[in-house]
């Protein structure tokens, strides 16, 4: 399995100029592609079902070819979800730190 760095996600409670809203995860986000260092800020709605670990700790995101293979034998934090067509996301607990796997099919 190859893991290619995508971005760093930082949770915040501050209001910012948001680039989008992820309905399945119920969070606002900035576009990490617009940031020089691939930093994404995320603000979760109060009723978001995303793991508390993801809501409160920064995460590192990796592009993977196959999410199902990437999560084999790992502690998964919630369900795989699709924030956009052709995109699937899941978080894992890696030694007490959240990691995001991002699968993009073009």
């Amino acid at each position: 399995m190859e893991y290619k760095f995508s971005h760093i996600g930082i949770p915040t409670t501050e209001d910012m100029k948001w680039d989008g809203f992820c309905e399945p995860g119920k969070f606002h986000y900035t576009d990490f592609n617009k940031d020089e260092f691939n930093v994404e800020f995320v603000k979760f709605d109060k009723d978001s079902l995303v793991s508390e670990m993801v809501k409160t700790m920064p995460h590192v995101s990796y592009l993977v070819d196959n999410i199902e293979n990437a999560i084999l034998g790992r502690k998964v934090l919630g369900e795989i979800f699709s924030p956009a067509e052709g995109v699937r996301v899941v978080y894992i607990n890696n030694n007490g730190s959240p990691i995001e796997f991002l699968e993009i099919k073009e």
Side-chain angles (χ1 to χ4, degrees), residues 9-102:
I10 301 175
T12 184
T13 57
E14 303 296 318
D15 284 323
M16 302 181 81
K17 183 175 183 249
W18 302 111
D19 293 307
F21 180 74
C22 175
E23 183 63 39
K26 295 191 176 182
F27 60 84
H28 299 268
Y29 60 89
T30 60
D31 185 350
F32 58 84
N33 288 310
K34 293 180 180 178
D35 185 81
E36 179 181 9
F37 301 105
N38 289 53
V39 174
E40 166 195 61
F41 288 93
V42 290
K43 181 179 180 184
F44 296 90
D45 287 357
K46 290 181 186 194
D47 60 344
S48 172
L49 298 177
V50 172
S51 163
E52 284 302 311
M53 180 183 283
V54 175
K55 290 180 187 179
T56 59
M57 297 177 67
H59 68 270
V60 177
S61 180
Y62 294 95
L63 293 167
V64 296
D65 291 332
N66 183 290
I67 273 190
E68 285 78 15
N69 289 343
I71 63 174
L72 284 175
R74 303 195 184 271
K75 295 177 187 176
V76 178
L77 301 171
E79 301 293 322
I80 297 169
F81 64 95
S82 178
E85 187 172 337
V87 179
R88 297 194 314 150
V89 173
V90 71
Y91 297 96
I92 64 163
N93 177 340
N94 182 61
N95 298 316
S97 178
I99 302 290
E100 177 184 41
F101 291 144
L102 180 61

